């Protein structure tokens, strides 16, 4: 029997697990005698309408129980973690690795560099396949753990070795074996100026196109912080960003005809940097992004935000009336990356002058880090306090509230520098409210909080 187990976080009332007495804290060690390494094993071995579960209860007593369910019914078990054994960590030396560029005082959980194919399947992380064992490959194929997200970056051996490290060739060989066995991949290219762009990018895309199991290729620019000395530029220059968009256009047109999708996608940063003055005129339509499979990689987020915003005219008018009647000025906290699309949206909105974006520069990370999700309280609080002071200097005594997008917080409600919204509010000297990230959600939230405060 294995020495690891899945700890139950919750059990749904009236579910099969609840009916046999399983409860929070119980440890599931096996299903039909098969040890469980992770949630994937659980789903694989407990896929039928009946399963014998080995467990350890909250008193430390081991036992077995049979679970029975109706077709399509869930077992009713939520595990505390997806991985029951140890997370497979990265052993590469990727020159662009963002996690190796973090401040020294960042909490330890942020420096854990995983390269675990299971998390790739379950949570959408990208992996290199450089650490796969023959048993791992066999398991991926047997359990059809697909699609996976693959860190491709380059195909020329010397370029791959320079970017990833000495095991770079192992990763691409494993990818080819998995593809041949029917495993599908979403590939990612972290693009670095003068390293894997230009001719190398063309060669990488040509290789990927030949493998039909590669469902998409996402291209993201090198991200760097001030806590390193290797990088000073990425694709922030307009011409450099535009060249990438132009370089992949032919593949996109071909893919739309042959495969029904654009297949290769440049992340939103490339469009923002290529068209800083008229981004909304050059942003691809929602149909271009298909099912938004690469949304979490910064591909299609701007389009989704813009379309959502443009569908909220009625609620925007209601929010504007609420702000006017209550004489409240709302500050929406944003990373500087939002300026090129949020400013033009507000210019044509009834919220202009009532909902003000506060673009906060990320001094904690520095470099070219400018997205909202990586903002820290140590930058947000002083920026809000400065806005407050500037308003007082102008003689503006209107009540102000700050809206902090929840994307800046983890599941425990803490920002990347371990500050909380309450910490930010104390520094800012104004109320700080956590809101959703899409206008169709945060505008009703804004209306509700004004109503509660002024009822």
């Amino acid at each position: 029997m294995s020495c690891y187990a899945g700890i139950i976080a919750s059990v749904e009332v009236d579910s099969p697990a609840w009916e046999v007495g399983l409860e929070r804290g119980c440890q599931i060690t096996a299903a039909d005698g098969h040890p469980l390494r992770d949630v994937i094993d659980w789903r694989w071995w407990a896929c039928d309408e009946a399963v014998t579960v080995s467990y350890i209860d909250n008193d430390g007593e081991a036992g077995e129980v049979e679970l029975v369910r109706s077709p399509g019914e869930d077992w009713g078990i939520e595990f505390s973690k997806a991985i029951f054994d140890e997370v497979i960590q990265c052993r590469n030396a990727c020159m662009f690795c963002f996690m190796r560029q973090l401040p020294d005082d960042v909490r330890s959980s942020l420096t854990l560099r995983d390269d675990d194919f299971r998390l790739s399947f379950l949570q959408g992380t990208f992996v290199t396949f450089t650490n796969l064992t023959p048993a791992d490959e066999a398991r991926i194929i047997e359990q059809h753990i697909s699609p996976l997200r693959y860190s491709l970056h380059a195909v020329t051996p010397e370029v791959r070795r320079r970017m990833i490290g000495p095991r770079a060739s192992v990763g691409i060989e494993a990818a080819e074996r998995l593809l041949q066995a029917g495993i599908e991949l979403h590939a990612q290219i972290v693009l670095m100026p003068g390293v894997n762009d230009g001719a190398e990018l063309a060669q990488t895309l040509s290789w990927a196109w030949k493998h039909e199991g590669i469902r998409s290729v996402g291209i993201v620019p090198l991200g760097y912080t001030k806590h390193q000395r290797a990088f000073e530029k990425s694709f922030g220059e307009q011409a450099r960003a535009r060249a990438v968009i132009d370089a992949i256009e032919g593949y996109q047109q071909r893919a739309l005809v042959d495969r029904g999708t654009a297949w290769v996608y440049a992340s939103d940063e490339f469009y923002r940097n290529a068209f800083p003055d008229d981004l909304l005129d050059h942003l691809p339509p929602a149909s271009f992004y298909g099912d938004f499979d690469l949304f979490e990689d910064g591909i299609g987020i701007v389009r989704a935000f813009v379309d959502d915003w443009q569908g909220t005219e009625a609620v925007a008018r209601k929010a504007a009336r609420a702000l006017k009647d209550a004489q409240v000025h709302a500050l929406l906290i944003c990373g500087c990356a939002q300026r090129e699309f949020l400013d033009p949206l507000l210019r044509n909105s009834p919220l202009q002058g009532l909902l003000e974006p506060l673009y906060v520069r990320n001094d904690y990370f520095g470099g070219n880090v400018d997205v909202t999700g990586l903002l820290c309280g140590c930058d947000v609080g002083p920026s809000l306090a400065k806005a407050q002071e500037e308003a007082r200097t102008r003689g503006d005594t209107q009540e102000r509230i700050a809206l902090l997008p929840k994307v800046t917080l983890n599941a425990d409600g803490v920002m990347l520098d371990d500050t909380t919204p309450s910490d930010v509010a104390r520094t800012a000297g104004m109320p700080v409210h956590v809101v959703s990230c899409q206008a169709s959600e945060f505008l009703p939230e804004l209306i509700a909080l004004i109503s509660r405060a002024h009822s």
Side-chain angles (χ1 to χ4, degrees), residues 15-95:
S15 68
W18 182 84
E19 289 177 352
V20 299
L22 291 175
E23 58 186 1
R24 180 183 179 187
C26 288
Q27 302 175 48
I28 307 298
T29 58
D32 283 341
H34 300 283
L36 303 177
R37 295 159 289 188
D38 44 57
V39 168
I40 300 172
D41 268 347
W42 166 252
R43 294 174 183 173
W44 180 258
W45 297 116
C47 64
D48 294 327
E49 274 65 61
V51 61
T52 298
V53 171
S54 304
Y55 69 94
I56 300 172
D57 66 20
N58 288 324
D59 295 323
E61 297 293 327
E64 282 191 350
V65 65
E66 185 180 34
L67 274 63
V68 180
R69 64 181 176 181
S70 302
E73 185 181 11
D74 190 86
W75 293 120
I77 294 174
E78 186 74 26
F79 291 102
S80 61
K81 295 190 298 184
I83 304 299
F84 304 160
D85 56 2
E86 297 294 325
V87 172
I88 302 170
Q89 297 190 37
C90 181
R91 53 182 178 179
N92 298 307
C94 297
M95 62 189 301

Side-chain angles (χ1 to χ4, degrees), residues 177-371:
R177 288 192 296 271
L178 292 174
L179 286 164
Q180 188 174 8
I183 301 300
E184 294 184 319
L185 307 178
H186 291 288
Q188 184 187 72
I189 297 172
V190 175
L191 206 62
M192 303 181 64
V195 178
N196 62 333
D197 56 351
E200 180 62 28
L201 175 60
Q203 189 166 341
T204 302
L205 292 178
S206 178
W207 177 90
W209 180 261
K210 295 174 184 176
H211 296 80
E212 293 189 8
I214 295 183
R215 289 170 46 173
S216 68
V217 179
I219 303 176
V220 300
L222 166 70
Y224 60 91
T225 76
K226 67 181 181 182
H227 305 281
Q228 52 79 44
R229 297 182 180 179
F231 311 117
E232 296 180 348
K233 64 180 180 179
S234 183
F235 290 86
E237 298 173 6
Q238 186 172 0
R240 195 180 291 270
R242 180 64 182 270
V244 174
I245 294 173
D246 291 343
I248 66 176
E249 185 178 7
Y251 275 99
Q252 291 171 332
Q253 293 175 349
R254 180 181 177 185
L256 286 167
V257 173
D258 293 354
R259 302 185 181 181
T261 72
W263 184 70
V264 57
Y265 304 88
S267 69
D268 296 348
E269 293 101 317
F270 287 104
Y271 290 96
R272 190 195 77 205
N273 295 335
F275 309 105
D277 300 321
D278 51 357
L279 173 61
L280 298 187
D281 294 332
H282 293 90
L283 202 62
S287 59
F288 177 85
Y289 294 103
D291 294 330
F292 287 83
D293 288 326
L294 303 180
F295 190 85
E296 297 300 325
D297 309 305
I299 295 173
I301 291 178
V302 175
R303 170 47 67 193
F305 184 93
V306 169
D307 286 356
D308 180 76
W309 180 283
Q310 292 176 337
T312 61
E313 185 175 348
V315 71
R317 287 197 298 268
K318 187 175 180 181
R321 285 196 301 270
L323 289 166
K324 284 181 181 178
D325 292 345
Q327 296 185 339
V328 172
H329 188 82
L331 293 171
L332 179 62
I333 297 163
C334 306
C336 295
Q338 289 190 244
R339 189 187 303 272
E340 282 79 11
F341 61 92
L342 187 53
D343 279 357
L345 290 175
L346 276 168
R347 280 197 295 268
N348 298 305
S349 169
L351 288 162
Q352 184 180 19
L354 299 167
L355 175 67
E356 176 188 353
L358 180 68
Y359 299 111
V360 178
R361 190 175 73 177
N362 197 320
D363 288 327
Y364 182 74
F365 289 114
N368 68 344
V369 178
D370 58 3
V371 296

Side-chain angles (χ1 to χ4, degrees), residues 72-131:
E73 185 181 11
D74 190 86
W75 293 120
I77 294 174
E78 186 74 26
F79 291 102
S80 61
K81 295 190 298 184
I83 304 299
F84 304 160
D85 56 2
E86 297 294 325
V87 172
I88 302 170
Q89 297 190 37
C90 181
R91 53 182 178 179
N92 298 307
C94 297
M95 62 189 301
F96 53 82
C97 180
F98 190 83
M99 298 180 72
R100 297 171 69 183
Q101 304 178 43
L102 298 179
D104 293 336
D105 61 350
V106 74
R107 61 177 176 267
S108 58
S109 60
L110 297 177
T111 62
L112 176 66
R113 296 191 300 134
D114 79 83
D115 197 14
D116 197 319
F117 68 91
R118 300 169 298 175
L119 292 177
S120 179
F121 177 69
L122 293 168
Q123 300 178 2
T125 59
F126 281 88
V127 291
T128 64
F129 298 152
T130 58
N131 56 10

Side-chain angles (χ1 to χ4, degrees), residues 371-431:
V371 296
T372 301
L374 294 182
L375 285 175
C376 298
C378 62
D379 292 325
V380 173
S383 295
L384 286 169
K386 181 180 178 182
Q388 280 276 68
E389 183 58 33
E390 289 174 347
R392 293 192 197 99
T393 301
R394 297 192 305 267
D396 184 352
T397 59
Q398 189 176 28
E399 179 186 355
R400 280 173 164 72
I401 60 172
L403 307 179
L404 180 66
K406 65 182 179 182
V407 71
T408 60
L409 306 172
N410 67 8
D412 297 320
V414 178
M415 302 181 79
L416 287 168
D417 62 344
D418 291 329
T419 56
T420 66
S422 297
D423 297 329
V424 174
R426 280 192 292 271
T427 301
M430 71 169 75

